[in-house]
Amino acid sequence: MSETPTDMLKVSREVLNSAMAELEGHLAAMERAYTESEDVARQVSQSMRSTAGTKFIAKIENWQRGYRTVMAEYKDLLDAVGITSRVMADTAGEADANMDLWSGDVYDVLSK
């Protein structure tokens, strides 16, 4: 039995949801690292008043800027995926509703 377009859309949506869940796990780890980096930067600034400490803090701040950029892009991705997911769900629903048109003879379908 071959997959219908509706089945393919449902599978694609499941794959998309799985990929997003995996990405969320990675981003949660990044969030924890960001929080830890703030603590480390604070400790270094309080205890290392040297050029090395200043350079280290600058590297942490650079990483934090990168993190904020990634999170902004992730939020944009979530918005786009939400729209895509709704379109896929709507399309799958429409395909289910219209499948009866494709069950007959092709000439009958074209004459409707």
Side-chain angles (χ1 to χ4, degrees):
M1 187 170 156
S2 66
E3 254 186 340
T4 67
T6 303
D7 293 336
M8 287 186 283
L9 284 170
K10 288 177 183 174
V11 168
S12 295
R13 188 172 183 199
E14 290 170 9
V15 169
L16 180 62
N17 288 341
S18 174
M20 290 304 296
E22 187 175 333
L23 180 59
E24 286 177 15
H26 291 298
L27 291 170
M30 284 180 64
E31 176 68 27
R32 287 188 300 276
Y34 183 84
T35 301
E36 289 174 13
S37 74
E38 289 179 318
D39 293 339
V40 168
R42 190 172 24 263
Q43 290 172 7
V44 168
S45 70
Q46 291 171 355
S47 63
M48 288 183 65
R49 301 191 189 274
S50 65
T51 304
T54 303
K55 287 181 179 179
F56 184 69
I57 291 171
K59 288 184 183 273
I60 290 173
E61 290 171 347
N62 186 44
W63 183 88
Q64 289 174 333
R65 277 191 298 280
Y67 167 81
R68 288 189 294 271
T69 299
V70 167
M71 289 308 291
E73 293 293 327
Y74 173 68
K75 288 177 182 167
D76 290 345
L77 176 64
L78 277 182
D79 291 343
V81 167
I83 292 167
T84 302
S85 183
R86 284 191 297 278
V87 168
M88 289 173 73
D90 291 348
T91 303
E94 289 173 18
D96 276 338
N98 294 316
M99 282 308 287
D100 63 329
L101 293 175
W102 298 99
S103 61
D105 188 346
V106 71
Y107 296 108
D108 291 338
V109 171
L110 294 174
S111 67
K112 290 184 180 184

